[in-house]
Amino acid sequence: MATAAATMAVATHHPRARPRLRVCAAWDMNPGAATVAVPKPSKAKAKPPAIPTTPARPPPPTHADLFARSSEGQVDAGGVKKSTYMGFEKWWLPPPPEVKKPRSLYSAASLAYLGDCIYELYARRHFFFPPLSINEYNKRVMDVVKCESQDLLLNKLLGEDFLTEEERDILRWGRNIVSSKTRTRKRAGIAVYNRASSLETLIGYLYLTNFKRLEQLMFQLGFTSGASSQHIADELRSSFQ
């Protein structure tokens, strides 16, 4: 053992002895190693977040769009189309109070008082389009809200056999109204005034009990919601002459 160790020491320090070199190959130079691609930093600028745009508003409806009767609408359980106005179910009057039997709670004069207002509202809506001056509005409306005009329109309904037996009974009930409008009664006459009051009573009654029937009745009288003229007034004037 001592001889072998001495021999190695001599060999190591021998002037002709060469140092041993260790060659280490890098891992990426190994042909069997997989090459990993290092992602390069992107130079593209980040886009700013998209700003939500407000959808364009549709043009405002015209007078004809607002006042034209729409035939389109939803369908109820019975398969009947509901009349709509601006996307809502067509109910342009204030909802009436829930009264099942108006005759047991109100007098005929009370219903006529309500019906007078509703009748005039239909008249004002009828002449509202095309636009007119206030004086012309009042002139046209007054031609159809006075007793003589209401009496003629009631005779029109009776002549066309439009009213039901129940509605005729309401008319008979409304003819017995006692009013303090002596000047109106003197101008038109008691009979004409009573018949006009009975029509207002019927309108007030239908407003509380059957709005759909009220619409049919007023349409039968000639009141519309579309572009109108003096059709009702002209017809009444021809009857006066």
Side-chain angles (χ1 to χ4, degrees):
M1 293 293 295
T3 305
T7 304
M8 291 182 63
V10 173
T12 303
H13 296 283
H14 194 274
R16 294 183 180 181
R18 296 181 180 179
R20 295 181 181 180
L21 299 179
R22 297 181 64 186
V23 179
C24 298
W27 66 270
D28 56 347
M29 299 297 293
N30 191 346
T35 304
V36 179
V38 180
K40 297 181 179 181
S42 176
K43 296 183 180 180
K45 295 183 179 180
K47 295 183 179 180
I51 301 176
T53 57
T54 304
R57 294 184 179 181
T62 62
H63 282 285
D65 296 332
L66 291 177
F67 295 100
R69 288 182 178 271
S70 175
S71 60
E72 300 179 358
Q74 299 178 352
V75 179
D76 58 13
V80 180
K81 284 187 176 181
K82 294 181 180 180
S83 181
T84 58
Y85 174 73
M86 297 182 69
F88 300 94
E89 188 173 352
K90 195 174 183 64
W91 180 269
W92 63 280
L93 287 175
E98 296 183 2
V99 181
K100 294 183 179 180
K101 297 181 179 180
R103 295 185 65 173
S104 63
L105 296 176
Y106 299 99
S107 64
S110 298
L111 296 184
Y113 173 77
L114 181 62
D116 178 37
C117 173
I118 297 173
Y119 178 89
E120 183 170 343
L121 183 57
Y122 271 93
R124 292 193 178 199
R125 185 189 69 166
H126 176 79
F127 293 112
F128 193 64
F129 181 76
L132 301 170
S133 65
I134 298 299
N135 292 334
E136 186 63 24
Y137 278 143
N138 290 333
K139 182 178 179 298
R140 295 190 181 191
V141 170
M142 289 301 297
D143 284 339
V144 296
V145 299
K146 56 187 179 182
C147 295
E148 296 87 343
S149 300
Q150 291 178 337
D151 180 37
L152 290 173
L153 291 177
L154 177 59
N155 291 332
K156 177 178 182 292
L157 288 177
L158 295 173
E160 295 171 348
D161 198 21
F162 178 79
L163 301 176
T164 64
E165 187 59 34
E166 179 187 6
E167 293 167 350
R168 292 174 183 268
D169 184 52
I170 298 296
L171 290 176
R172 289 188 289 268
W173 177 50
R175 287 175 184 172
N176 300 322
I177 295 177
V178 177
S179 175
S180 59
K181 296 181 179 180
T182 55
R183 295 181 58 182
T184 304
R185 297 179 66 178
K186 288 182 179 179
R187 186 196 79 238
I190 297 177
V192 173
Y193 178 84
N194 288 345
R195 288 193 293 268
S197 298
S198 67
L199 176 61
E200 293 175 348
T201 303
L202 176 60
I203 292 174
Y205 177 82
L206 291 178
Y207 170 70
L208 294 176
T209 59
N210 193 339
F211 176 77
K212 182 178 179 180
R213 178 61 176 173
L214 173 63
E215 283 272 83
Q216 294 174 350
L217 184 143
M218 299 306 293
F219 184 79
Q220 187 73 14
L221 291 178
F223 294 96
T224 64
S225 60
S228 60
S229 61
Q230 289 182 286
H231 174 70
I232 296 178
D234 291 341
E235 182 179 342
L236 295 176
R237 288 195 191 98
S238 64
S239 301
F240 289 147
Q241 298 174 355

